[in-house]
Each structure stands twice: as structure tokens, then as C-alpha cells.
Amino acid sequence: MVLEAILSTSMNTNESPINPTKYREIISTLPRQPNVFAPPLDQYIHKYQGFWFRTTMLESIMSVHEHFTPQPTDIIICTNPKSGTTWLKALCFATFTRTRFNDFSSHPLFTKSPHDFIPWIEISANRESELPVFATHIPYTLLPKYIVELKCKIIYLSRDPKDLFISYWQFMCKLRKEAIPLETAYQYFCKGINSCGPWWDHILGSWKASLEFPEKILFMKYEDMMNDPFSYVKRIAEFMSCPFSAEEERQGLVQKIVNLCSFETLSNLEVNRNSLENSATGALKIENNSFFRKGKVGDWKNYLTAEMGAHLDQITEQKFSGSGLSFRAQDLQCLSEGKS
Ligand SMILES: Nc1ncnc2c1ncn2[C@@H]1O[C@H](COP(=O)(O)OS(=O)(=O)O)[C@@H](OP(=O)(O)O)[C@H]1O
């Protein structure tokens, strides 16, 4: 057991959060596959407790278990890569800090990436953030015990796997600065062999927990949020225990946050168009504009054939059978009054 081995070693707080030598020794014993999506640092992905992780991601998970100390007031944003994390980070930050940053014409999000305000626990395991809001791509079932036992709250954002796959493939092509054959990437994704995959297992862990403990884990879909961002901002605020007052609603604060965090606003800001890498993406050194591409539902149709789309849908229906979870268009929710 990798994590047990890590946890049984003595903890040294002066040590760098990521200790590649110690972690790589353990990782070298795990089953591995070539990483078809490989960014320069990660030629392989490794299977650990049913999930595939690129090498540096797995090192980060080990670091989280060793160094991150969750607190009861923490809120953990949990996503599979490319589910809309950047958007959710912006929404949570703007909502949570709205009394402090109430001037929406000079908001901090105009000059810094959402990733600078809400750190990944994989990268900033040492809790440098002043806000109790963190993000992670680690599947719920592999999070530190304290979080899995829901002693703090989790907001999980999911996304239709067809759009998520295209977003991930495009992101990795950009990061590698070369084309990754779409067909190969698709085959690997369908088999679940991509970092943080299988996508279906990542989703199901959180989904099942959210059914059992809805007050502790809020499960949302990107498509639902796109459909009705206003209602979702209100829902997120309630979940974070900072609901909008009647006065705030009268002032149009919810809509102001929706507008501030919209794809149109954020993607057109200088900081998100041209800035150097942000401070929160670790060794991969990702430029801010890599987090904004199209921000649309259904873009997969521009890349995958109808057969490829149908095949992914079929896998999804099989894997989610009996779980009550679905990404079919007719099953999308609309939270606002008067719509159902
Ligand atoms: N504000 C806003 N509204 C709607 N959609 C948005 C927004 N910001 C980012 N995006 C889109 O989200 C996709 C990136 O996902 P993530 O932010 O999860 O990426 S990451 O995992 O943090 O690397 C990526 O999706 P695609 O456009 O389909 O590639 C982004 O464009």
C-alpha cells in the first residue's frame, strides 16, 4: 500500500512537500503504461488503487497524505481535470469574499488567475492560503481520511465526458506543443487510461457520497451550471454557509458574480490572455490562457464522429447503470423557479 508506506515514515515538517526520491521508489513498483497525453515531465502513468496517475500527480497525492492537514471549516473543490475547475474556483472565491471585495469594477479576479486564489492541495499542501477553500483533482475515495469521512465539505463538479475528453486532449496538445493523435487518445480515454482516470470511477465515488451525505458533498454538472449559473451561485453560497441575504439579492449581487466569472469576462482579461504562468500550477508551468479555450457545451461534435460520441455515451450508460447518474441532455437540471 503506497500511502500506508508513506504514512508510516516519520513526518519532518522542514522537508519539501514533494520528495521525489522517496515517492518514486514506491511508484516504481506499480503497474504502468505509456502516457499518451504525456506532458514533458510525465512519460508514464501508474495504476494505484484502481486509478491511473501521471508520475508527478501520484507524487503529489503522496505529498497531500503526508503534509495536508484538513480543517473542519475547509471546503474542498474536487474535479476531474477539465470539468470547469477554473470557473468554479472563480465563483467560490467571488462568492466567499463578496463582503471584502464588493467593488465589482476593480475586483481581484481582474488582475489574478482564479488559480492564484484557490490553491490545489496537490501543490500547496502546506496551507499557505488565507481562505479555507482548496481544490484537488484527487478522486474522492483517495483523498485523506479526514476528507473522505466528510469532516469538511466538498464541492464536486463533473462534466459530460465527451466535452471533457476534447478539452483534455486539446489542453495536453497545447502543453506538449505537438499534436497527440486523436484516435489514440480516445482509445486510451475509453479504457480509462488517462491521469485521474477512469473518469467514470472518479465521478461515481463522489456521486455516491453526495447521495448519502448531501449536506457535506455538493455534486454538480458543468452543463447544469452553464444552463442556470444564477441558481447555482445561490446554491454554492448556501452550501458554503454564506447564503445571499435578501438585500444582497436586491442589489443584484448574484448576477454580478455570475457576470464577473463568466467565460466571456474571465477569458478576455489581460491576466488570463497573456500573462505568464500563474503561481499555483507547480512543475508543469501552465500559462493562464491554457485554462480558457471555448467554454461551450457540445464542442465535442467538432472533433469526434457521431459513432465515437455514441460509443462514449454507451460506456457511460453502462458504468452509471443503476446509480441514478446520467449525462443525457434530458437529465440536466434547472434549479431556478419556473423551470424544471
Ligand atoms: N468561466 C468559465 N465558464 C465556463 N467554462 C469555463 C470557464 N473558464 C474556463 N472554462 C472552461 O473549462 C475548461 C477547463 O477546465 P478546468 O478549469 O477544470 O481545467 S483544469 O482541470 O483546471 O486544468 C475549458 O473547457 P473547454 O473550453 O471545453 O476546453 C475552459 O474553456
Side-chain angles (χ1 to χ4, degrees), residues 236-255:
I236 289 167
E238 277 159 26
F239 185 76
M240 295 199 301
S241 306
C242 54
F244 288 91
S245 65
E247 177 58 16
E248 285 179 321
E249 288 211 33
R250 204 188 52 73
Q251 291 168 356
L253 210 53
V254 182
Q255 192 58 46

Side-chain angles (χ1 to χ4, degrees), residues 82-86 137 159 167 222 261 263 291 293-295:
K82 301 298 144 195
S83 302
T85 329
T86 312
H137 286 323
R159 187 179 189 186
S167 181
Y222 178 92
C261 301
F263 183 85
F291 296 104
R293 194 181 60 94
K294 290 191 184 168

Side-chain angles (χ1 to χ4, degrees), residues 108-325:
L109 281 169
F110 286 149
T111 47
K112 279 189 160 194
S113 158
H115 293 287
D116 286 327
F117 297 111
I118 299 190
W120 302 104
I121 60 174
E122 294 90 312
I123 292 165
S124 305
N126 49 8
R127 297 189 67 95
E128 270 165 10
S129 173
E130 56 170 308
L131 284 188
V133 189
F134 298 86
T136 185
H137 286 323
I138 303 175
Y140 162 73
T141 47
L142 286 192
L143 282 165
K145 194 163 171 270
Y146 190 89
I147 305 178
V148 177
E149 287 175 353
L150 295 169
K151 294 193 173 129
C152 44
K153 288 184 173 178
I154 297 179
I155 305 182
Y156 189 91
L157 182 61
S158 61
R159 187 179 189 186
D160 181 300
K162 303 187 291 306
D163 280 335
L164 176 135
F165 163 70
I166 290 301
S167 181
Y168 186 62
W169 168 69
Q170 291 268 355
F171 178 75
M172 284 305 183
C173 291
K174 189 168 177 188
L175 222 64
R176 279 175 58 161
K177 300 190 173 57
E178 63 176 331
I180 302 166
L182 178 63
E183 183 67 37
T184 316
Y186 172 83
Q187 298 293 351
Y188 271 73
F189 185 85
C190 287
K191 286 188 209 150
I193 309 175
N194 56 283
S195 197
C196 300
W199 174 82
W200 300 272
D201 299 13
H202 198 295
I203 298 279
L204 277 174
S206 302
W207 168 249
K208 287 178 185 163
S210 76
L211 293 180
E212 211 175 334
F213 304 102
E215 70 291 351
K216 285 292 196 175
I217 175 159
L218 175 63
F219 186 99
M220 307 190 298
K221 294 179 187 159
Y222 178 92
E223 294 73 19
D224 290 334
M225 287 212 329
M226 287 293 269
N227 203 14
D228 188 6
F230 187 93
S231 303
Y232 273 89
V233 168
K234 285 175 60 175
R235 187 167 184 170
I236 289 167
E238 277 159 26
F239 185 76
M240 295 199 301
S241 306
C242 54
F244 288 91
S245 65
E247 177 58 16
E248 285 179 321
E249 288 211 33
R250 204 188 52 73
Q251 291 168 356
L253 210 53
V254 182
Q255 192 58 46
K256 281 183 190 163
I257 290 175
V258 169
N259 296 347
L260 170 72
C261 301
S262 71
F263 183 85
E264 290 65 34
T265 305
L266 291 184
S267 64
N268 284 309
L269 293 171
E270 184 62 19
V271 63
N272 293 326
R273 279 162 64 95
N274 298 316
S275 119
L276 301 170
E277 69 260 11
N278 61 71
S279 61
T281 54
L284 282 180
K285 303 286 180 217
I286 303 169
E287 291 174 4
N288 289 347
N289 63 17
S290 308
F291 296 104
F292 301 92
R293 194 181 60 94
K294 290 191 184 168
K296 292 216 174 330
V297 173
D299 185 47
W300 66 270
K301 291 187 185 136
N302 295 315
Y303 300 91
L304 299 179
T305 63
E307 289 72 30
M308 289 163 106
H311 179 58
L312 253 178
D313 283 343
Q314 202 184 5
I315 300 174
T316 304
E317 289 207 9
Q318 267 171 12
K319 298 258 190 190
F320 290 172
S321 165
S323 71
L325 181 60

